[in-house]
Amino acid sequence: MTSPPRTVRPEILDELPPTDARAIRSRRDLRRVNRVMGSCGILSRAMRRALASSSRHGPLRILELGAGDGSLALHIAARLAPAWPAAELTLLDRQPLIPETTGIAFAHLGWTLRLLTVDVLEWARAPTQRQLTGRWDLILTNLFLHHFEADALRELLSAVADRCDIFIACEPRRSLPALLGSRLLPALVVSRDTLHDAVVSVRAGFRGQELSDVWPARGAAWVVEERPAGLFSHLFAAARGDAV
Ligand SMILES: C[S@@+](CC[C@H](N)C(=O)[O-])C[C@H]1O[C@@H](n2cnc3c(N)ncnc32)[C@H](O)[C@@H]1O
């Protein structure tokens, strides 16, 4: 059976101001959704695998795109910090969403936190020399790429490929189990907004080699892996050379 094509529709959470009560509720729901999807484990394992063959000695330079309230990044950092006790982490989102307590928690882990409040396409279009850092060792993202139609996605991934050595994305999988899972979210007592956004996200999600198809393979030799992960997720990992 062929799956329906991707459809990208606006998500309610993206339209609400950060301090709106509905947005606060949705972000709390999102933390639970990430737990159910196993996002932290999926991303941490993929990052460990990719970093295992990294020859880097100084602090890791990591960027997360569409980082939301930073809670997922904090859980990932807690898992990686024993192996990578020093890292410079930048969290990019177009809304300022990181609570002060999250910054303090990163500091306790020994990770330096920087915040970048900007639309990601503006970041992608800015010349590389105007970036915070010339290159990132690793760029990651979770539940984010599905917001973009093919042309914007191609533009974004092209900037990502120019600016990092490893890229890892965990996205909704456009599959029947994921659609059923999103319809069963009321069992987690989530809001109507979260329910709406979950269904929209799955329909905009990925399957097969859809991200590999828009990944810019030119120039450096990238090793690319794209596959289902967990029950509901779709993992894409690209590394220069043989780091995946
Ligand atoms: C579904 S949430 C995921 C947040 C986080 N990655 C997580 O898993 O908890 C998507 C995030 O992307 C951000 N976002 C959406 N469109 C964006 C854009 N064009 N540029 C930057 N951030 C964007 C939203 O503000 C939101 O925080």
Side-chain angles (χ1 to χ4, degrees):
M1 195 178 77
T2 53
S3 79
R6 291 186 67 218
T7 49
V8 179
R9 300 257 182 279
E11 294 179 31
I12 294 170
L13 179 58
D14 293 329
E15 320 260 297
L16 296 171
T19 50
D20 186 290
R22 284 168 57 195
I24 292 168
R25 167 90 197 270
S26 280
R27 290 196 186 282
R28 196 180 63 209
D29 291 345
L30 192 53
R31 292 195 284 274
R32 298 167 73 194
V33 169
N34 269 328
R35 275 203 294 279
V36 171
M37 293 180 79
S39 312
C40 177
I42 291 169
L43 281 164
S44 310
R45 283 190 293 277
M47 288 170 74
R48 269 204 205 101
R49 260 197 317 276
L51 289 168
S53 35
S54 161
S55 53
R56 176 148 191 88
H57 295 302
L60 272 184
R61 286 162 309 189
I62 302 176
L63 169 67
E64 184 183 357
L65 303 177
D69 64 7
S71 56
L72 180 68
L74 185 56
H75 282 111
I76 293 172
R79 290 196 185 194
L80 295 190
W84 295 94
E88 294 163 10
L89 173 68
T90 300
L91 300 181
L92 180 153
D93 201 287
R94 67 178 171 195
Q95 294 192 328
L97 297 165
I98 312 291
E100 208 177 316
T101 47
T102 303
I104 295 168
F106 277 111
H108 280 308
L109 290 172
W111 284 30
T112 310
L113 183 63
R114 278 195 295 208
L115 307 182
L116 204 48
T117 306
V118 66
D119 188 288
V120 79
L121 291 177
E122 205 179 305
W123 170 82
R125 286 167 192 158
T128 304
Q129 58 272 26
R130 283 204 7 238
Q131 302 300 310
L132 272 179
T133 171
R135 299 201 57 72
W136 306 92
D137 296 306
L138 189 150
I139 297 181
L140 78 142
T141 194
N142 186 62
L143 302 182
F144 182 62
L145 298 182
H146 69 274
H147 285 78
F148 302 95
E149 300 274 9
D151 285 350
L153 195 56
R154 200 168 278 113
E155 182 179 5
L156 173 56
L157 293 186
S158 174
V160 166
D162 282 345
R163 294 170 194 178
C164 73
D165 294 329
I166 298 168
F167 176 61
I168 297 175
C170 182
E171 290 296 315
R173 184 160 177 79
R174 202 170 74 258
S175 67
L176 195 57
L179 196 58
L180 289 175
S182 64
R183 298 251 180 236
L184 292 175
L185 277 177
L188 291 182
V189 203
V190 300
S191 70
R192 289 165 69 95
D193 296 333
T194 301
L195 194 53
H196 168 274
D197 287 355
V199 174
V200 167
S201 299
V202 171
R203 291 189 173 138
F206 301 96
R207 57 182 295 131
Q209 299 300 299
E210 288 173 342
L211 285 167
S212 305
D213 288 347
V214 285
W215 180 254
R218 64 174 192 277
W222 288 92
V223 179
V224 170
E225 180 192 20
E226 181 167 8
R227 59 173 171 82
L231 279 179
F232 310 120
S233 302
H234 187 77
L235 180 71
F236 176 82
R240 288 178 194 273
D242 57 1
V244 171

